[in-house]
Amino acid sequence: MKTATRSAACNLTCCLTAAAMFFLASPAMAQNPDEGGFFPKEEIFKPILADPKEPRFFGSVRHINNEIRKDFTGAAIGLGETFGIYRKSPGPGRAWQISISGGVFSHFDMGTSTYDLLNSDYSIGLLWTYRDRDASLRLRVYHQSSHLGDDYVSDDPGLLDKYSGFDYEAAELITAYDWEPFRVYGGIHYLLQRDPGDLDRWSYQAGMEYESPRPILFHGVPVAGVDIKGLQERSWTPAVSVKAGLKFKSADSSRDIMVLAEYYDGFIPYGAFYDYDMDAFGLGVYFGF
């Protein structure tokens, strides 16, 4: 009962946080990004483009082949955002910021008559970010809990015993360097608390991004990213996520829409299925606020 109560509370908190950040992330409340103060307009550490677990609003359809359900057409929905609370600028080109982030990542099997929900991951975290001209870093402490879909469990009740109760608290440190039009980054993750308790604690993450300085089709700017992760639990074997497409944004707005082709090959990054591999390709639409 205690675990169920804790999970329900975490789920409700994550959903409310994501909803609050969506409504609060309005240009009317924002300040000049070069100034300090409350509710800064933008993050000083840009979201990681190809990370499948980066909190953001998106929807995508993918062809998936994994070791559990084999070949099927899946859909992924994400509801999440990072919301700046306070920024301090100690000097030209330098700033640090405190933010909160929250997200929900849900995955569905589109080949079933009811589009079965397979799994949902809920996360909420506190961030401290820092920028010194072209160099930046992100320190994040966060909670994630994962829950199987009811229809998925009803089809195979044994899944509940094997994969339920997966949650953890973690800390991550990622540094990045902007070398326009490229950005490179890398860092580590460490599990502070975890259930099950025998999970290895460490993982790494690294990648590269590109954003063209010139628009092309319908004023869309070409963007691309490669994200690589490895888990100590999986003997550091890399999982590769690639996203590329067009970013649409007006000059006087911080909001954008991206249409991205997606490819993934490696361990399943969702829920408690990290012991299994998958490859997937598809198309997604991403919304930035």
Side-chain angles (χ1 to χ4, degrees), residues 209-280:
E209 299 173 355
Y210 168 80
E211 181 170 337
S212 173
R214 291 180 294 273
I216 53 171
L217 186 65
F218 301 115
H219 302 287
V221 175
V223 295
V226 178
D227 185 72
I228 300 172
K229 291 183 179 180
L231 306 179
Q232 183 183 11
E233 183 75 20
R234 293 293 308 270
S235 301
W236 309 111
T237 303
V240 180
S241 173
V242 180
K243 297 182 182 182
L246 294 175
K247 177 179 181 179
F248 301 91
K249 178 180 179 180
S250 63
D252 59 349
S253 175
S254 62
R255 300 183 177 184
D256 61 72
I257 296 177
M258 295 186 292
V259 181
L260 303 176
E262 307 174 340
Y263 174 76
Y264 183 88
D265 184 23
F267 64 87
I268 298 178
Y270 308 111
F273 303 109
Y274 51 84
D275 279 336
Y276 298 92
D277 290 328
M278 78 173 217
D279 59 80

Side-chain angles (χ1 to χ4, degrees), residues 47-266:
I48 297 176
L49 178 68
D51 187 348
K53 300 300 288 291
E54 186 78 15
R56 63 177 81 232
F57 287 81
F58 72 90
S60 68
V61 178
R62 307 162 180 172
H63 177 79
I64 300 171
N65 180 22
N66 65 36
E67 295 178 326
I68 302 176
R69 298 178 73 84
K70 306 305 179 183
D71 285 287
F72 68 99
T73 299
I77 301 294
L79 303 174
E81 189 58 87
T82 298
F83 180 70
I85 300 297
Y86 182 78
R87 176 182 296 181
K88 178 70 173 179
S89 298
R94 299 167 56 206
W96 59 262
Q97 182 169 313
I98 296 175
S99 307
I100 57 173
S101 67
V104 181
F105 306 88
S106 296
H107 298 83
F108 303 84
D109 185 345
M110 304 303 288
T112 60
S113 59
T114 56
Y115 305 135
D116 290 357
L117 171 64
L118 303 178
N119 182 83
S120 289
D121 292 336
Y122 302 82
S123 69
I124 185 170
L126 179 67
L127 291 73
W128 184 83
T129 54
Y130 179 78
R131 174 171 288 277
D132 187 347
R133 297 171 177 82
D134 292 327
S136 59
L137 68 82
R138 180 175 75 184
L139 175 63
R140 179 170 68 134
V141 179
Y142 67 99
H143 166 87
Q144 177 182 299
S145 59
S146 302
H147 306 276
L148 299 172
D150 292 340
D151 291 332
Y152 189 26
V153 171
S154 65
D155 292 339
D156 187 355
L159 291 169
L160 195 60
D161 294 330
K162 190 173 182 180
Y163 297 114
S164 64
F166 180 74
D167 61 77
Y168 60 83
E169 285 76 43
E172 70 168 20
L173 176 63
I174 298 178
T175 61
Y177 187 82
D178 297 334
W179 185 31
E180 294 184 352
F182 297 95
R183 178 172 81 147
V184 294
Y185 61 88
I188 57 173
H189 300 244
Y190 181 77
L191 300 182
L192 302 170
Q193 300 285 343
R194 72 268 200 228
D195 182 14
D198 58 352
L199 281 176
D200 289 327
R201 293 181 183 268
W202 291 97
S203 61
Y204 69 85
Q205 181 175 6
M208 176 180 288
E209 299 173 355
Y210 168 80
E211 181 170 337
S212 173
R214 291 180 294 273
I216 53 171
L217 186 65
F218 301 115
H219 302 287
V221 175
V223 295
V226 178
D227 185 72
I228 300 172
K229 291 183 179 180
L231 306 179
Q232 183 183 11
E233 183 75 20
R234 293 293 308 270
S235 301
W236 309 111
T237 303
V240 180
S241 173
V242 180
K243 297 182 182 182
L246 294 175
K247 177 179 181 179
F248 301 91
K249 178 180 179 180
S250 63
D252 59 349
S253 175
S254 62
R255 300 183 177 184
D256 61 72
I257 296 177
M258 295 186 292
V259 181
L260 303 176
E262 307 174 340
Y263 174 76
Y264 183 88
D265 184 23

